[in-house]
Amino acid sequence: SAVISQKPSRDICQRGTSLTIQCQVDSQVTMMFWYRQQPGQSLTLIATANQGSEATYESGFVIDKFPISRPNLTFSTLTVSNMSPEDSSIYLCSVALASQETQYFGPGTRLLVL
Amino acid sequence: AQSVTQPDIHITVSEGASLELRCNYSYGATPYLFWYVQSPGQGLQLLLKYFSGDTLVQGIKGFEAEFKRSQSSFNLRKPSVHWSDAAEYFCAVASSSNTGKLIFGQGTTLQVKP
């Protein structure tokens, strides 16, 4: 398995601002993903972070709102832009060695937007 | 479309009692199935997975799950529940499109009575 860290672990932000979340893995991985878990809900995939190219977004998520970077095989960032209270969620990154392999999750970033 | 259903939103069992959490999936081919656990304030931890082979899979913390193709089910079981098992449990299926996307059920909250 991979050891995954996320920064920050939690934050409280004002509406209209942006927050960048970092995800760091202790080994090179093929695939990195970003999920959102709204309060009391299950996980929903936001996008797949592609190394060296634009992220692949799921329906309902757009790059302007959730820009993602992945400069190398061990690191990715997710930015939540122009935040509103509806963006209050846990944001989790996950990694996998290949597309059909087990995904391992980071500890999550707990975001509260006031 | 692929989907995962966890019929029980909330389950309460007494410590030492047996446990079964239900998971049904909708999928056109042999699925890759997972159970994750999320303790309060924590990220997701993999309990077990099924890719192929023996339909009864053993996981960590004394959990097991049985894949039943005829019933499209992948129920999680534990013979004797401990108070530390109180958590949120998620069943997930890997997308057939080889994108690595995981589709999660809504989750089951397990409460353990002393």
PDB file of all heavy atoms in Angstrom, chain B residues 48-50 52-59 63-68 74-75 77:
ATOM      1  N   LEU B  48     -11.204  -5.039   2.485  1.00  0.00           N
ATOM      2  CA  LEU B  48     -10.980  -6.203   1.626  1.00  0.00           C
ATOM      3  C   LEU B  48     -11.427  -5.873   0.217  1.00  0.00           C
ATOM      4  O   LEU B  48     -12.065  -4.863  -0.030  1.00  0.00           O
ATOM      5  CB  LEU B  48     -11.726  -7.437   2.158  1.00  0.00           C
ATOM      6  CG  LEU B  48     -13.187  -7.280   2.558  1.00  0.00           C
ATOM      7  CD1 LEU B  48     -14.123  -7.225   1.392  1.00  0.00           C
ATOM      8  CD2 LEU B  48     -13.591  -8.399   3.512  1.00  0.00           C
ATOM      9  N   LYS B  49     -11.060  -6.790  -0.700  1.00  0.00           N
ATOM     10  CA  LYS B  49     -11.402  -6.585  -2.097  1.00  0.00           C
ATOM     11  C   LYS B  49     -11.629  -7.927  -2.770  1.00  0.00           C
ATOM     12  O   LYS B  49     -11.103  -8.962  -2.333  1.00  0.00           O
ATOM     13  CB  LYS B  49     -10.274  -5.832  -2.806  1.00  0.00           C
ATOM     14  CG  LYS B  49      -8.951  -6.592  -2.806  1.00  0.00           C
ATOM     15  CD  LYS B  49      -7.823  -5.759  -3.364  1.00  0.00           C
ATOM     16  CE  LYS B  49      -6.499  -6.537  -3.303  1.00  0.00           C
ATOM     17  NZ  LYS B  49      -5.352  -5.723  -3.743  1.00  0.00           N
ATOM     18  N   TYR B  50     -12.403  -7.895  -3.840  1.00  0.00           N
ATOM     19  CA  TYR B  50     -12.607  -9.067  -4.677  1.00  0.00           C
ATOM     20  C   TYR B  50     -12.321  -8.691  -6.121  1.00  0.00           C
ATOM     21  O   TYR B  50     -12.945  -7.777  -6.669  1.00  0.00           O
ATOM     22  CB  TYR B  50     -14.045  -9.594  -4.560  1.00  0.00           C
ATOM     23  CG  TYR B  50     -14.312 -10.694  -5.547  1.00  0.00           C
ATOM     24  CD1 TYR B  50     -13.859 -11.981  -5.311  1.00  0.00           C
ATOM     25  CD2 TYR B  50     -14.994 -10.431  -6.734  1.00  0.00           C
ATOM     26  CE1 TYR B  50     -14.079 -12.986  -6.244  1.00  0.00           C
ATOM     27  CE2 TYR B  50     -15.224 -11.437  -7.660  1.00  0.00           C
ATOM     28  CZ  TYR B  50     -14.756 -12.708  -7.409  1.00  0.00           C
ATOM     29  OH  TYR B  50     -14.969 -13.692  -8.333  1.00  0.00           O
ATOM     30  N   SER B  52     -11.184 -11.645  -8.415  1.00  0.00           N
ATOM     31  CA  SER B  52     -11.521 -12.896  -9.082  1.00  0.00           C
ATOM     32  C   SER B  52     -11.181 -14.031  -8.126  1.00  0.00           C
ATOM     33  O   SER B  52     -10.655 -13.811  -7.032  1.00  0.00           O
ATOM     34  CB  SER B  52     -10.745 -13.052 -10.392  1.00  0.00           C
ATOM     35  OG  SER B  52      -9.355 -13.164 -10.133  1.00  0.00           O
ATOM     36  N   GLY B  53     -11.501 -15.257  -8.547  1.00  0.00           N
ATOM     37  CA  GLY B  53     -11.118 -16.421  -7.757  1.00  0.00           C
ATOM     38  C   GLY B  53     -12.110 -16.757  -6.666  1.00  0.00           C
ATOM     39  O   GLY B  53     -13.327 -16.630  -6.857  1.00  0.00           O
ATOM     40  N   ASP B  54     -11.583 -17.167  -5.524  1.00  0.00           N
ATOM     41  CA  ASP B  54     -12.404 -17.585  -4.392  1.00  0.00           C
ATOM     42  C   ASP B  54     -13.414 -16.500  -4.044  1.00  0.00           C
ATOM     43  O   ASP B  54     -13.042 -15.341  -3.846  1.00  0.00           O
ATOM     44  CB  ASP B  54     -11.521 -17.884  -3.186  1.00  0.00           C
ATOM     45  CG  ASP B  54     -12.271 -18.608  -2.074  1.00  0.00           C
ATOM     46  OD1 ASP B  54     -13.518 -18.643  -2.121  1.00  0.00           O
ATOM     47  OD2 ASP B  54     -11.603 -19.133  -1.167  1.00  0.00           O
ATOM     48  N   THR B  55     -14.677 -16.875  -3.975  1.00  0.00           N
ATOM     49  CA  THR B  55     -15.719 -15.870  -3.759  1.00  0.00           C
ATOM     50  C   THR B  55     -15.832 -15.423  -2.316  1.00  0.00           C
ATOM     51  O   THR B  55     -16.544 -14.457  -2.023  1.00  0.00           O
ATOM     52  CB  THR B  55     -17.077 -16.414  -4.230  1.00  0.00           C
ATOM     53  OG1 THR B  55     -17.355 -17.633  -3.535  1.00  0.00           O
ATOM     54  CG2 THR B  55     -17.081 -16.652  -5.730  1.00  0.00           C
ATOM     55  N   LEU B  56     -15.180 -16.119  -1.419  1.00  0.00           N
ATOM     56  CA  LEU B  56     -15.143 -15.703  -0.015  1.00  0.00           C
ATOM     57  C   LEU B  56     -13.768 -15.091   0.239  1.00  0.00           C
ATOM     58  O   LEU B  56     -12.757 -15.774   0.153  1.00  0.00           O
ATOM     59  CB  LEU B  56     -15.395 -16.894   0.905  1.00  0.00           C
ATOM     60  CG  LEU B  56     -15.452 -16.574   2.408  1.00  0.00           C
ATOM     61  CD1 LEU B  56     -16.644 -15.656   2.701  1.00  0.00           C
ATOM     62  CD2 LEU B  56     -15.569 -17.858   3.212  1.00  0.00           C
ATOM     63  N   VAL B  57     -13.765 -13.820   0.541  1.00  0.00           N
ATOM     64  CA  VAL B  57     -12.496 -13.121   0.722  1.00  0.00           C
ATOM     65  C   VAL B  57     -12.339 -12.680   2.167  1.00  0.00           C
ATOM     66  O   VAL B  57     -13.307 -12.254   2.805  1.00  0.00           O
ATOM     67  CB  VAL B  57     -12.370 -11.911  -0.227  1.00  0.00           C
ATOM     68  CG1 VAL B  57     -12.298 -12.368  -1.657  1.00  0.00           C
ATOM     69  CG2 VAL B  57     -13.515 -10.942  -0.063  1.00  0.00           C
ATOM     70  N   GLN B  58     -11.131 -12.803   2.639  1.00  0.00           N
ATOM     71  CA  GLN B  58     -10.830 -12.403   4.009  1.00  0.00           C
ATOM     72  C   GLN B  58     -10.156 -11.030   3.998  1.00  0.00           C
ATOM     73  O   GLN B  58      -9.383 -10.706   3.094  1.00  0.00           O
ATOM     74  CB  GLN B  58      -9.887 -13.421   4.664  1.00  0.00           C
ATOM     75  CG  GLN B  58     -10.426 -14.834   4.678  1.00  0.00           C
ATOM     76  CD  GLN B  58     -11.685 -14.966   5.523  1.00  0.00           C
ATOM     77  OE1 GLN B  58     -11.805 -14.374   6.590  1.00  0.00           O
ATOM     78  NE2 GLN B  58     -12.650 -15.739   5.025  1.00  0.00           N
ATOM     79  N   GLY B  59     -10.487 -10.241   4.998  1.00  0.00           N
ATOM     80  CA  GLY B  59      -9.899  -8.922   5.083  1.00  0.00           C
ATOM     81  C   GLY B  59      -9.243  -8.681   6.421  1.00  0.00           C
ATOM     82  O   GLY B  59      -9.005  -9.606   7.190  1.00  0.00           O
ATOM     83  N   PHE B  63     -12.796  -9.165   9.286  1.00  0.00           N
ATOM     84  CA  PHE B  63     -13.913  -9.080   8.347  1.00  0.00           C
ATOM     85  C   PHE B  63     -13.734 -10.042   7.178  1.00  0.00           C
ATOM     86  O   PHE B  63     -12.617 -10.364   6.785  1.00  0.00           O
ATOM     87  CB  PHE B  63     -14.041  -7.654   7.797  1.00  0.00           C
ATOM     88  CG  PHE B  63     -14.625  -6.675   8.774  1.00  0.00           C
ATOM     89  CD1 PHE B  63     -13.807  -5.922   9.593  1.00  0.00           C
ATOM     90  CD2 PHE B  63     -16.008  -6.521   8.875  1.00  0.00           C
ATOM     91  CE1 PHE B  63     -14.348  -5.025  10.509  1.00  0.00           C
ATOM     92  CE2 PHE B  63     -16.555  -5.620   9.776  1.00  0.00           C
ATOM     93  CZ  PHE B  63     -15.716  -4.868  10.602  1.00  0.00           C
ATOM     94  N   GLU B  64     -14.852 -10.461   6.622  1.00  0.00           N
ATOM     95  CA  GLU B  64     -14.879 -11.247   5.397  1.00  0.00           C
ATOM     96  C   GLU B  64     -16.060 -10.810   4.559  1.00  0.00           C
ATOM     97  O   GLU B  64     -16.988 -10.170   5.056  1.00  0.00           O
ATOM     98  CB  GLU B  64     -14.967 -12.750   5.685  1.00  0.00           C
ATOM     99  CG  GLU B  64     -16.266 -13.179   6.309  1.00  0.00           C
ATOM    100  CD  GLU B  64     -16.342 -14.690   6.519  1.00  0.00           C
ATOM    101  OE1 GLU B  64     -15.296 -15.353   6.652  1.00  0.00           O
ATOM    102  OE2 GLU B  64     -17.486 -15.209   6.555  1.00  0.00           O
ATOM    103  N   ALA B  65     -16.012 -11.126   3.290  1.00  0.00           N
ATOM    104  CA  ALA B  65     -17.126 -10.802   2.395  1.00  0.00           C
ATOM    105  C   ALA B  65     -17.264 -11.918   1.379  1.00  0.00           C
ATOM    106  O   ALA B  65     -16.285 -12.558   0.996  1.00  0.00           O
ATOM    107  CB  ALA B  65     -16.887  -9.465   1.696  1.00  0.00           C
ATOM    108  N   GLU B  66     -18.485 -12.122   0.938  1.00  0.00           N
ATOM    109  CA  GLU B  66     -18.756 -13.176  -0.035  1.00  0.00           C
ATOM    110  C   GLU B  66     -19.370 -12.582  -1.285  1.00  0.00           C
ATOM    111  O   GLU B  66     -20.376 -11.864  -1.216  1.00  0.00           O
ATOM    112  CB  GLU B  66     -19.691 -14.227   0.548  1.00  0.00           C
ATOM    113  CG  GLU B  66     -19.887 -15.427  -0.379  1.00  0.00           C
ATOM    114  CD  GLU B  66     -20.633 -16.567   0.276  1.00  0.00           C
ATOM    115  OE1 GLU B  66     -21.207 -16.354   1.369  1.00  0.00           O
ATOM    116  OE2 GLU B  66     -20.624 -17.682  -0.289  1.00  0.00           O
ATOM    117  N   PHE B  67     -18.773 -12.869  -2.414  1.00  0.00           N
ATOM    118  CA  PHE B  67     -19.264 -12.437  -3.710  1.00  0.00           C
ATOM    119  C   PHE B  67     -20.258 -13.476  -4.221  1.00  0.00           C
ATOM    120  O   PHE B  67     -19.918 -14.657  -4.361  1.00  0.00           O
ATOM    121  CB  PHE B  67     -18.101 -12.289  -4.690  1.00  0.00           C
ATOM    122  CG  PHE B  67     -18.522 -12.089  -6.118  1.00  0.00           C
ATOM    123  CD1 PHE B  67     -19.289 -10.996  -6.487  1.00  0.00           C
ATOM    124  CD2 PHE B  67     -18.155 -12.996  -7.112  1.00  0.00           C
ATOM    125  CE1 PHE B  67     -19.677 -10.800  -7.800  1.00  0.00           C
ATOM    126  CE2 PHE B  67     -18.529 -12.801  -8.427  1.00  0.00           C
ATOM    127  CZ  PHE B  67     -19.301 -11.705  -8.780  1.00  0.00           C
ATOM    128  N   LYS B  68     -21.473 -13.044  -4.488  1.00  0.00           N
ATOM    129  CA  LYS B  68     -22.506 -13.929  -5.035  1.00  0.00           C
ATOM    130  C   LYS B  68     -22.998 -13.320  -6.338  1.00  0.00           C
ATOM    131  O   LYS B  68     -23.819 -12.389  -6.348  1.00  0.00           O
ATOM    132  CB  LYS B  68     -23.654 -14.099  -4.044  1.00  0.00           C
ATOM    133  CG  LYS B  68     -23.273 -14.866  -2.777  1.00  0.00           C
ATOM    134  CD  LYS B  68     -24.491 -15.121  -1.904  1.00  0.00           C
ATOM    135  CE  LYS B  68     -24.110 -15.950  -0.670  1.00  0.00           C
ATOM    136  NZ  LYS B  68     -25.278 -16.229   0.200  1.00  0.00           N
ATOM    137  N   PHE B  74     -22.363  -8.488  -2.469  1.00  0.00           N
ATOM    138  CA  PHE B  74     -21.005  -8.579  -1.899  1.00  0.00           C
ATOM    139  C   PHE B  74     -21.133  -8.126  -0.444  1.00  0.00           C
ATOM    140  O   PHE B  74     -20.698  -7.062  -0.051  1.00  0.00           O
ATOM    141  CB  PHE B  74     -20.034  -7.696  -2.679  1.00  0.00           C
ATOM    142  CG  PHE B  74     -18.577  -7.867  -2.292  1.00  0.00           C
ATOM    143  CD1 PHE B  74     -17.974  -9.114  -2.342  1.00  0.00           C
ATOM    144  CD2 PHE B  74     -17.810  -6.767  -1.920  1.00  0.00           C
ATOM    145  CE1 PHE B  74     -16.631  -9.273  -2.016  1.00  0.00           C
ATOM    146  CE2 PHE B  74     -16.468  -6.921  -1.589  1.00  0.00           C
ATOM    147  CZ  PHE B  74     -15.886  -8.165  -1.639  1.00  0.00           C
ATOM    148  N   ASN B  75     -21.729  -8.981   0.367  1.00  0.00           N
ATOM    149  CA  ASN B  75     -22.036  -8.631   1.746  1.00  0.00           C
ATOM    150  C   ASN B  75     -20.826  -8.816   2.657  1.00  0.00           C
ATOM    151  O   ASN B  75     -20.070  -9.782   2.528  1.00  0.00           O
ATOM    152  CB  ASN B  75     -23.188  -9.478   2.259  1.00  0.00           C
ATOM    153  CG  ASN B  75     -24.489  -9.165   1.537  1.00  0.00           C
ATOM    154  OD1 ASN B  75     -24.596  -8.173   0.823  1.00  0.00           O
ATOM    155  ND2 ASN B  75     -25.474 -10.033   1.712  1.00  0.00           N
ATOM    156  N   ARG B  77     -19.198  -9.380   6.428  1.00  0.00           N
ATOM    157  CA  ARG B  77     -19.584 -10.067   7.662  1.00  0.00           C
ATOM    158  C   ARG B  77     -18.438 -10.031   8.668  1.00  0.00           C
ATOM    159  O   ARG B  77     -17.258  -9.932   8.317  1.00  0.00           O
ATOM    160  CB  ARG B  77     -19.950 -11.518   7.372  1.00  0.00           C
ATOM    161  CG  ARG B  77     -21.097 -11.697   6.401  1.00  0.00           C
ATOM    162  CD  ARG B  77     -21.605 -13.112   6.427  1.00  0.00           C
ATOM    163  NE  ARG B  77     -20.612 -14.056   5.909  1.00  0.00           N
ATOM    164  CZ  ARG B  77     -20.739 -14.704   4.756  1.00  0.00           C
ATOM    165  NH1 ARG B  77     -21.784 -14.475   3.988  1.00  0.00           N
ATOM    166  NH2 ARG B  77     -19.813 -15.563   4.372  1.00  0.00           N
TER     167      ARG B  77
END
